Amino acid sequence: MAVLNTGEENEETVFTADAVLFEYLDGGWKERGKGEVKVNVSSPEREKARLAMRARGNYRLILNASLYSDMKLTNMDKRGVTFACMNSATDEKKGLSTFALKFKDGSFVESFTAAVAAHKGKAVSVLKTPENSPKASDD
């Protein structure tokens, strides 16, 4: 049997659950896939954490996003949660996008939120524009 290298070999999974991933595009939610979402923490230093999700069946990476210190999670209905992140699993769009995860059961929302809260402060925040950055000009 072939060994599948996922890039998660040096990480510890602190949360895992089946979910459906949606992305907010053009005024509506677009389904990105169903699969297992994980909160992974790098080993052994435990300084970096990320969300990873692979599509069920073909293991295609559909979500790969570093947690950042001011990441906010918002409950959606009883079984979902929304958040903004930079998803490096796709080549389509750079920058922040809004995503939603819908779980089979509402109890996963609380566990997911707790896992992200416990590890997001350990990730480096690179999403803020520095105060001294040049402003855009028209010329």
Side-chain angles (χ1 to χ4, degrees):
M1 184 167 136
V3 176
L4 179 66
N5 288 332
T6 62
E8 299 175 30
E9 290 76 21
N10 294 322
E11 297 177 330
E12 176 189 349
T13 300
V14 295
F15 172 86
T16 183
D18 284 335
V20 183
L21 178 68
F22 297 90
E23 183 175 8
Y24 194 79
L25 291 172
D26 304 322
W29 291 104
K30 180 178 178 186
E31 185 176 321
R32 287 295 183 195
K34 295 177 173 86
E36 187 177 58
V37 64
K38 299 177 181 180
V39 177
N40 286 347
V41 179
S42 60
S43 299
E45 67 275 0
R46 300 184 61 85
E47 291 177 7
K48 295 179 184 171
R50 70 180 177 127
L51 299 176
M53 185 172 182
R54 294 184 179 279
R56 189 175 297 121
N58 65 6
Y59 295 106
R60 179 177 56 91
L61 191 64
I62 55 177
L63 179 63
N64 182 24
S66 294
L67 301 186
Y68 55 98
S69 59
D70 49 355
M71 186 174 200
K72 297 200 179 0
L73 302 177
T74 305
N75 286 357
M76 182 179 184
D77 301 325
K78 288 181 171 52
R79 298 182 299 140
V81 62
T82 65
F83 53 93
C85 67
M86 290 193 326
N87 185 6
S88 61
T90 63
D91 296 329
E92 294 174 17
K93 189 172 129 186
K94 301 294 179 217
L96 286 175
S97 293
T98 301
F99 292 91
L101 286 169
K102 189 170 184 180
F103 298 100
K104 284 193 269 184
D105 185 293
S107 65
F108 290 116
V109 173
E110 193 174 318
S111 301
F112 175 77
T113 302
V116 170
H119 297 283
K120 71 180 184 176
K122 296 177 181 171
V124 177
S125 179
V126 293
L127 302 175
K128 292 188 176 184
T129 303
E131 297 289 328
N132 60 352
S133 65
K135 303 289 184 234
S137 64
D138 293 331
D139 40 64

